Amino acid sequence: MECLKQTIFLSKRLKKGLLVLFLSLFFAQSSWAVYLLVPMDQQQQNHLKAYGIAYWTLEQAIEVKWLLNYRGGSFLIPYYQEIESECLVRGVRVEKLADAQVNQLLAEIGRAEVNQDAISMQKAPKIAVYSPPNKQPWDDAVTLVLSYAEIPYEVIYDEEILTNQLPDYDWLHLHHEDFTGQFGKFFRSYQHMPWYQEEVKTNQELANKLGFAKVSEMKQAVTNEIQAYIARGGFLFAMCAATDTYDIARAADGVDICESMFDGDPADPHLNEKLNYNRTLAFRDFTVVKDPFQYEFSDIDVSTSRKVTPAQDYFTLFEFSAKWDPVPTMLTQNHERIIKGFMGQTTAFKHQLVKPDVLVMGENKAAGEARYIHGEVGQGFWTFYGGHDPEDYRHLVGDPPTDLNLHPSSPGYRLILNNILFPAAKKKKQKT
């Protein structure tokens, strides 16, 4: 009997010991559960592919926190072996953090006096690139960096937009399009080139198919659809000539600004007096260049008038309050605040022609140039970024594509990718 009691007692003690051991192991594992911090300061070896990791993680329905103003705008991701392996494959540096470290980090970021914030991202945005289907990916910096970062996108053009397919996408990039209907004003230099003739023919045939007498009328209809898309909550990003020509087309609605070599009849001689700046996104009081042989659309762009040498060509990013102005803070995340300039058909914007309610996020103040600007329309947002290729100072027609393997941490390209992730962020209401 005594032996049986002792056996029962020992059995209870064993069970209790096993339970204590299990609970100890459980809590130990919980307290050391790790997160992955993707640093975006100078410690990161491939900033551009890091954005691709953030996007890929969102595609797996895993939340990513964007740590604004913390180490260059780092990403915080729950630990999964698959994510760590994907970072290794893509050459993206990560750091492991325990729960206690993450809690301390988020508490520090959350302090009112610290200009940092943690923004939750939960869904990968669906991306559309507005581009002629016959264009090569290296013709455009955005498609180039999307491909390098391994972020998927779909190409759409006028027909898709005018048949109401734009609402299927969260984010729209405008390829270096000429929305004025002047085919890039390449007539003087390239009218005899097969690629130019093919571009003209393709656009004219598409305009006729869609019921427009002129390409310029089709492009104006496209801008109407894009404007409505933004107002409903869409996100628009444009670079180079797609910025100012978009606004020129908006202002010139119902006004013929194309000479006969572009649309078969002369332009309105009083076109500049008939522009309606209330229809534009970013610019006001500008003058359209009437000369069809001049490689310039209007006086918005500074390419032919600037006195900035390549050695002096830099622009500065403004610093915004992460807690009070999260939107521009997201769009300006970088490991550098002074960005080297680069030219394009539209290089930068004359500061005095930018509307007063437009937010300038990057500028060359000494030269009077706004380089990176942002605004709101209805429930949506738009961003204009001057220049053609952040790592090719003067990109010419026919130049070889930029090899981003040589520029994996390009600050100029990072600004593009900030805009890619922007729609994924669960934004707080802007307070200023």
Side-chain angles (χ1 to χ4, degrees):
M1 187 69 178
E2 187 64 31
C3 183
L4 178 61
K5 288 181 179 179
Q6 189 174 5
T7 301
I8 294 172
F9 174 75
L10 290 173
S11 177
K12 287 181 178 179
R13 288 194 62 181
L14 180 61
K15 288 181 180 179
K16 184 177 180 181
L18 289 173
L19 178 61
V20 170
L21 177 62
F22 172 77
L23 291 175
S24 298
L25 290 173
F26 174 80
F27 286 116
Q29 185 177 13
S30 298
S31 64
W32 285 103
V34 293
Y35 287 76
L36 292 175
L37 177 72
V38 183
M40 295 296 279
D41 54 11
Q42 301 291 352
Q43 296 300 311
Q44 182 55 255
Q45 56 198 16
N46 198 319
H47 291 82
L48 304 186
K49 283 193 179 291
Y51 286 92
I53 287 293
Y55 190 95
W56 180 82
T57 302
L58 293 171
E59 286 186 303
Q60 317 310 312
I62 299 171
E63 181 185 53
V64 176
K65 287 190 182 297
W66 199 350
L67 306 183
L68 304 184
N69 290 348
Y70 175 77
R71 296 184 62 180
S74 300
F75 303 114
L76 184 65
I77 304 172
Y79 179 82
Y80 289 92
Q81 178 63 50
E82 294 81 2
I83 299 177
E84 184 180 26
S85 298
E86 193 68 24
C87 291
L88 180 63
V89 169
R90 299 194 190 191
V92 175
R93 185 176 184 272
V94 294
E95 301 172 11
K96 292 182 183 178
L97 299 180
D99 276 343
Q101 292 173 292
V102 169
N103 292 336
Q104 182 178 357
L105 170 60
L106 294 178
E108 177 64 24
I109 288 175
R111 290 171 53 203
E113 65 272 23
V114 176
N115 186 21
Q116 297 173 349
D117 203 1
I119 298 293
S120 174
M121 297 188 290
Q122 298 176 334
K123 180 186 175 185
K126 189 175 181 182
I127 297 168
V129 172
Y130 171 85
S131 175
N134 60 326
K135 287 284 185 180
Q136 298 298 322
W138 55 79
D139 288 336
D140 175 56
V142 173
T143 51
L144 193 67
V145 75
L146 286 174
S147 299
Y148 178 79
E150 302 179 58
I151 296 175
Y153 65 91
E154 296 179 15
V155 175
I156 64 173
Y157 204 45
D158 297 320
E159 186 167 8
E160 288 80 7
I161 288 180
L162 294 174
T163 55
N164 200 36
Q165 296 182 39
L166 197 49
D168 296 340
Y169 301 93
D170 302 303
W171 190 89
L172 173 67
H173 163 61
L174 303 182
H175 185 88
H176 300 296
E177 184 68 32
D178 173 10
F179 288 96
T180 69
Q182 299 175 92
F183 309 108
K185 298 196 80 172
F186 290 131
F187 182 81
R188 178 179 179 179
S189 299
Y190 300 106
Q191 59 181 297
H192 301 297
M193 297 295 291
W195 64 264
Y196 176 82
Q197 295 170 356
E198 180 64 25
E199 181 178 335
V200 172
K201 179 184 176 183
T202 299
N203 275 276
Q204 289 175 338
E205 289 177 348
L206 182 58
N208 294 335
K209 175 184 176 181
L210 297 175
F212 297 96
K214 299 179 178 181
V215 172
S216 59
E217 294 173 356
M218 177 179 68
K219 296 299 182 184
Q220 286 178 340
V222 168
T223 68
N224 290 338
E225 292 298 318
I226 294 174
Q227 198 86 357
Y229 162 79
I230 305 170
R232 292 191 301 265
F235 299 80
L236 173 71
F237 178 79
M239 287 186 71
C240 202
T243 58
D244 52 350
T245 65
Y246 179 92
D247 263 11
I248 293 169
R250 297 288 302 159
D253 186 45
V255 181
D256 190 346
I257 64 173
C258 300
E259 287 295 351
S260 57
M261 68 278 293
F262 303 125
D263 66 357
D265 58 28
D268 187 329
H270 305 291
L271 64 93
N272 278 310
E273 292 87 74
K274 298 179 180 181
L275 299 177
N276 182 0
Y277 305 114
N278 292 324
R279 291 175 49 81
T280 64
L281 286 177
F283 308 113
R284 63 173 182 173
D285 303 332
F286 55 83
T287 300
V288 171
V289 173
K290 295 181 180 180
D291 184 356
F293 299 107
Q294 184 177 342
Y295 186 61
E296 187 61 276
F297 297 104
S298 76
D299 60 348
I300 296 171
D301 177 40
V302 302
S303 294
T304 58
S305 61
R306 67 199 311 239
K307 302 295 190 293
V308 181
T309 66
Q312 300 171 324
D313 199 350
Y314 289 87
F315 63 97
T316 303
L317 296 177
F318 285 90
E319 184 174 345
F320 298 93
S321 170
K323 293 181 175 65
W324 292 83
D325 293 305
V327 171
T329 304
M330 281 184 269
L331 297 179
T332 54
Q333 290 302 286
N334 222 304
H335 55 292
E336 295 184 11
R337 306 308 299 178
I338 298 177
I339 314 297
K340 65 179 182 179
F342 51 99
M343 298 190 70
Q345 187 171 16
T346 299
T347 298
F349 321 115
K350 286 184 181 174
H351 219 303
Q352 66 266 33
L353 299 182
V354 176
K355 287 184 173 182
D357 61 337
V358 169
L359 184 65
V360 176
M361 301 185 296
E363 69 172 4
N364 183 329
K365 187 174 183 179
E369 299 176 357
R371 190 55 178 263
Y372 186 45
I373 61 179
H374 176 73
E376 301 180 25
V377 174
Q379 301 176 49
F381 302 87
W382 59 267
T383 302
F384 285 176
Y385 188 16
H388 184 94
D389 186 328
E391 294 298 337
D392 186 350
Y393 184 75
R394 191 186 296 272
H395 186 87
L396 301 176
V397 174
D399 280 356
T402 297
D403 184 358
L404 286 180
N405 289 294
L406 304 176
H407 310 282
S409 295
S410 168
Y413 269 101
R414 278 199 65 180
L415 298 180
I416 298 174
L417 293 175
N418 286 337
N419 284 269
I420 295 289
L421 287 185
F422 174 48
K426 190 175 182 180
K427 295 168 292 299
K428 301 174 184 176
K429 184 175 178 60
Q430 192 167 340
K431 301 175 183 177
T432 60

